Amino acid sequence: MPSTVVLQDVRKTHGQVVAVDQVSLSIRSGEFFSILGPSGSGKSTLLRLIAGLDSPDSGTIAIQQRIVNADPPHIRPVNMVFQQYALFPHMTVFENIAFGLKMRRQTEPPIRLAVEEMAALVRLDGKLQRFPAQLSGGEQQRVALARALVNRPVVLLLDEPMAALDQQLRQNMHTELKRIQHEVKATFICVTHQQDEALMLSDRIGVMVAGKLLQVGTPQEIYEQPVSSTVAKFIGLSNSLSGTITRAENGVCWMEHENFPSLVARCPSGLEPGHAMLLVRPERVHISIDQPHPEYENTLPAMVNHIAFHGNEVFYQCRLVNEAIWTVRLPIAEAQSTSLVIGQTLYLQWAAHEGFALSH
Amino acid sequence: MPPPTHSWPLPLKCSFWAAGVFLLLFFVLPLMMVFGVSLASRGLYGGVEWIATFDNYRRLADPLIGVIFLRSLFFASMTTIACGVIGFPLAYMVARASHRWQLVLLMLVMIPFWTNFLVRTYAWILILRADGLVNGVLLRLGIQSEPLSLLFTDFAVAIGLIYGYLPFMVLPLIVAIERISPQLEEAAYDLYASMGAMFRHVVLPLSKPGFMAGGVLVFIPSLGAFITPYLLGGGQKMMIGTLIQQEFLVSRDWPFGSALSFGLMGSALMLWFLVSRTALGKDLP
């Protein structure tokens, strides 16, 4: 698949702080790519570098095989949806959407046609004569989307597009965003700190922490095969134990922990024996009450420490022998049938393929 | 449901009333007195005789007064426009400067206020007169063989007015520009605007509240200015401010001076009303 945006060893510093640290990345044509990271990880800076609102200290940025390092933003075939939308408050919705076309000196009739078509796509028809202040948060976001997309950008950049919306609206906009991308067939690059959003929307995700791109992959890859414990902990909750790998072969490894000998887990092919960390997702942990179930390779005795009811599931915090706290997630039906109470002892179990080991 | 009624805390109430009483005593009352005088007659030896008359207002229709008023209007409008043109880039720089620079630049804008206005106007005499700074430099560099006559010209008056009232334009503009999110500028650039187009379509229209406030603060006092035209214009061309001053202090015709003052105030208010009506007409909802 051809690449639309290619970053090569891009670095950007703000004073003493390295915002983007030697990032290389290639984004395929037509994909929905999310850059996921905690706030301050440099992900917004990366987006601004692609847009041309900042310029890199070193490295190259290419869009459609053309190196754009020296191109100012108004020359690049990209458009941006800003975090607070940055709608022009003194212009109507129509004027906001038409702005880019007007700047490119298109004539009135085609502008009107394009704006109306785009307004229909984002379901804003009938609101074209309103001012941004008269719109709801969701409508404002649609204006921002339409204002960028009407220019038919090769790449659409979205900076935390859902941050200003409430939970309910967010769900709707996720579906909307996918539908709109499907219709305009542009490459979307979206910056977010919401992991569920990234997992749900993206074709691929790049995980960025402290200016470094730690892993790039499909949502499944990132979730199931994180390359480091930092990635694993950022994407979804993870339970962990550190120990020593005694043997590793064919993607399976055996780990020793002072309290728990002989744990078995998946591991990356290159993992060497030595110090390592074992990670198990909360939804992968099974509970046995009276005695350990023989079908699971791994067993840890534990005690229920805290119970949190989440509606459709229940989170149990369990204390291990070494005082570590592990979280177990049970669907509500299963939780009701086991009916655990605080202080109860139990066994936490998982099969070999359900945990994974990473070198430190 | 009726909105909840707030009861103001006592200190706030006190300061509110104090401000009210102050305004009443030192603004409303003197204004009423001037209005009263404007309806009285001039005594034989320059006093005020309390004989009610409209004559003072009738005299405002004199074409000579009209010429003076139009001249003042021209200078005031020109000063306001020039302050806007010069003040905007300055205000933009201050508003978008880093925090430290902002303090320094604001200080530079404010420093002239530490000196008396009269003294600052005299300083311009030193700069503009025949053996002053400007002519000195021009003669020394050989650009000019004869000193230019700069002082006591319309040019000198304009320079003095613009210099004197520029900060009143710059300060409200800074406030207005600071309120414009820099992200709006980035959005404009991202949507293919050149720098000029960005200013024309985004920053300038959104700075309008600053231009309006600054415009009033510059226009009103420069319409009634009398020190600057008197000192830098040499009092050669009468302006409405100098005329009022003369009526009070030279001709000692207080009633006519008062009528002139009210005429000036009335026309300034009317102009402001007209301008704000047309300017705000197509503004935000």
Side-chain angles (χ1 to χ4, degrees):
Chain A
M1 217 182 297
S3 292
T4 318
V5 178
V6 179
L7 308 181
Q8 195 74 53
D9 299 321
V10 172
R11 183 183 163 87
K12 172 74 184 173
T13 50
H14 294 305
Q16 298 290 315
V17 186
V18 183
V20 174
D21 194 359
Q22 301 296 125
V23 167
S24 294
L25 172 64
S26 99
I27 292 165
R28 297 168 192 153
S29 173
E31 76 175 332
F32 196 118
F33 191 95
S34 288
I35 301 166
L36 177 61
S39 45
S41 58
K43 55 192 193 308
S44 284
T45 308
L46 196 63
L47 207 63
R48 294 171 58 85
L49 291 172
I50 299 171
L53 297 169
D54 271 333
S55 52
D57 299 343
S58 60
T60 56
I61 299 170
I63 299 172
Q64 286 187 312
Q65 283 80 51
R66 177 191 152 85
I67 291 176
V68 295
N69 280 38
D71 293 356
H74 64 267
I75 293 181
R76 303 190 186 194
V78 301
N79 288 107
M80 178 117 146
V81 174
F82 288 83
Q83 192 173 118
Q84 302 299 326
Y85 312 139
L87 301 178
F88 303 122
H90 58 301
M91 298 182 196
T92 60
V93 171
F94 182 92
E95 289 166 332
N96 264 285
I97 300 176
F99 191 86
L101 300 175
K102 208 171 123 192
M103 288 301 114
R104 289 207 284 190
R105 302 188 193 284
Q106 294 211 9
T107 50
E108 185 67 27
I111 289 184
R112 180 157 291 280
L113 218 64
V115 169
E116 275 164 6
E117 189 192 336
M118 198 44 69
L121 177 71
V122 300
R123 310 212 163 114
L124 270 175
D125 11 16
K127 306 231 156 120
L128 287 175
Q129 293 317 311
R130 304 252 184 115
F131 284 91
Q134 296 169 308
L135 301 177
S136 70
E139 288 168 337
Q140 288 182 16
Q141 195 205 35
R142 288 154 194 265
V143 179
L145 262 172
R147 185 177 72 172
L149 286 173
V150 78
N151 305 295
R152 300 277 163 207
V154 174
V155 181
L156 182 75
L157 306 171
L158 302 114
D159 190 2
E160 300 272 4
M162 308 294 173
L165 301 181
D166 58 50
Q167 196 59 43
Q168 191 104 49
L169 218 49
R170 225 173 258 193
Q171 304 290 332
N172 294 339
M173 278 317 289
H174 287 153
T175 352
E176 281 286 87
L177 211 53
K178 288 297 270 187
R179 175 183 68 83
I180 290 165
Q181 195 215 3
H182 189 75
E183 290 197 29
V184 299
K185 296 181 177 64
T187 307
F188 279 33
I189 304 177
C190 175
V191 153
T192 180
H193 67 274
Q194 302 268 346
Q195 39 137 324
D196 54 342
E197 192 172 294
L199 291 172
M200 205 163 10
L201 288 173
S202 321
D203 298 315
R204 287 194 309 152
I205 296 173
V207 180
M208 201 166 170
V209 176
K212 286 196 162 68
L213 200 58
L214 298 181
Q215 185 173 7
V216 175
T218 63
Q220 288 83 351
E221 282 166 6
I222 300 266
Y223 194 79
E224 301 286 345
Q225 296 154 28
V227 294
S228 69
S229 53
T230 320
V231 174
K233 286 191 166 162
F234 190 68
I235 312 283
L237 278 168
S238 274
N239 298 308
S240 61
L241 274 181
S242 30
T244 313
I245 302 286
T246 50
R247 192 152 66 91
E249 58 189 33
N250 300 331
V252 181
C253 66
W254 283 262
M255 189 172 117
E256 299 251 333
H257 181 272
E258 48 178 327
N259 303 102
F260 319 108
S262 74
L263 298 165
V264 190
R266 277 188 293 124
C267 68
S269 51
L271 191 71
E272 299 281 320
H275 207 55
M277 181 168 272
L278 174 76
L279 295 147
V280 188
R281 298 280 185 202
E283 68 275 13
R284 295 293 196 181
V285 182
H286 309 272
I287 286 175
S288 311
I289 295 174
D290 299 321
Q291 52 189 1
H293 207 282
E295 93 177 70
Y296 302 113
E297 286 89 342
N298 302 285
T299 303
L300 304 178
M303 192 177 84
V304 179
N305 196 43
H306 182 74
I307 301 173
F309 179 68
H310 279 243
N312 56 347
E313 20 175 49
V314 180
F315 284 48
Y316 297 95
Q317 290 196 340
C318 304
R319 189 188 297 274
L320 305 187
V321 191
N322 67 341
E323 296 293 304
I325 301 284
W326 274 40
T327 307
V328 181
R329 259 162 83 169
L330 289 188
I332 187 71
E334 205 176 317
Q336 276 167 346
S337 64
T338 46
S339 64
L340 294 168
V341 292
I342 291 176
Q344 191 169 351
T345 54
L346 41 68
Y347 298 100
L348 305 182
Q349 295 195 289
W350 68 97
H353 69 272
E354 289 178 309
F356 48 92
L358 295 164
S359 59
H360 258 302
Chain B
M1 215 167 55
T5 49
H6 296 282
S7 156
W8 286 13
L10 193 66
L12 210 63
K13 261 187 204 162
C14 286
S15 61
F16 174 80
W17 282 109
V21 168
F22 183 89
L23 273 180
L24 193 74
L25 279 181
F26 298 108
F27 177 69
V28 180
L29 217 62
L31 206 65
M32 304 279 280
M33 279 160 63
V34 175
F35 185 63
V37 170
S38 77
L39 292 172
S41 314
R42 177 175 184 260
L44 210 52
Y45 303 104
V48 177
E49 294 223 15
W50 295 103
I51 304 162
T53 175
F54 265 115
D55 267 1
N56 300 312
Y57 285 100
R58 227 165 269 145
R59 279 172 66 193
L60 293 184
D62 187 334
L64 215 61
I65 306 278
V67 170
I68 293 170
F69 181 74
L70 282 180
R71 186 183 295 135
S72 299
L73 196 67
F74 169 75
F75 271 96
S77 314
M78 196 226 43
T79 304
T80 309
I81 292 167
C83 281
V85 172
I86 301 168
F88 179 77
L90 187 62
Y92 185 80
M93 249 172 55
V94 178
R96 290 286 186 253
S98 68
H99 191 68
R100 234 187 43 224
W101 271 106
Q102 202 166 34
L103 285 179
V104 174
L105 290 170
L106 263 176
M107 202 59 147
L108 288 177
V109 174
M110 303 293 290
I111 276 177
F113 286 112
W114 293 0
T115 317
N116 182 282
F117 185 65
L118 206 61
V119 175
R120 283 186 281 143
T121 309
Y122 269 114
W124 275 104
I125 296 183
L126 295 182
I127 294 171
L128 294 176
R129 69 183 179 189
D131 54 350
L133 188 67
V134 175
N135 277 316
V137 170
L138 289 180
L139 291 177
R140 187 70 59 81
L141 292 178
I143 297 169
Q144 210 59 43
S145 53
E146 290 284 301
L148 286 171
S149 52
L150 298 169
L151 195 58
F152 306 139
T153 59
D154 286 354
F155 172 75
V157 176
I159 288 268
L161 286 173
I162 294 166
Y163 164 78
Y165 295 118
L166 188 61
F168 296 104
M169 179 63 88
V170 172
L171 293 175
L173 270 178
I174 291 173
V175 176
I177 295 169
E178 271 200 312
R179 281 195 188 162
I180 305 169
S181 160
Q183 214 171 59
L184 291 182
E185 295 176 26
E186 291 184 341
Y189 288 134
D190 184 61
L191 294 165
Y192 316 110
S194 61
M195 194 188 231
M198 187 281 289
F199 272 107
R200 210 163 46 249
H201 294 287
V202 178
V203 180
L204 279 175
L206 288 173
S207 304
K208 199 148 84 183
F211 279 114
M212 298 301 284
V216 175
L217 291 180
V218 172
F219 183 81
I220 305 272
S222 54
L223 187 62
F226 73 93
I227 291 182
T228 315
Y230 186 74
L231 290 180
L232 298 180
Q236 289 174 339
K237 283 187 182 161
M238 194 67 87
M239 302 266 267
I240 198 82
T242 33
L243 180 65
I244 292 173
Q245 184 236 8
Q246 279 196 1
E247 290 302 327
F248 274 96
L249 301 180
V250 183
S251 320
R252 295 195 59 75
D253 189 346
W254 283 36
F256 183 50
S258 300
L260 273 172
S261 303
F262 261 83
L264 177 64
M265 210 168 76
S267 34
L269 278 176
M270 217 158 66
L271 274 169
W272 163 241
F273 180 74
L274 283 176
V275 169
S276 60
R277 253 314 187 58
T278 45
L280 293 175
K282 48 181 193 287
D283 210 356
L284 296 173

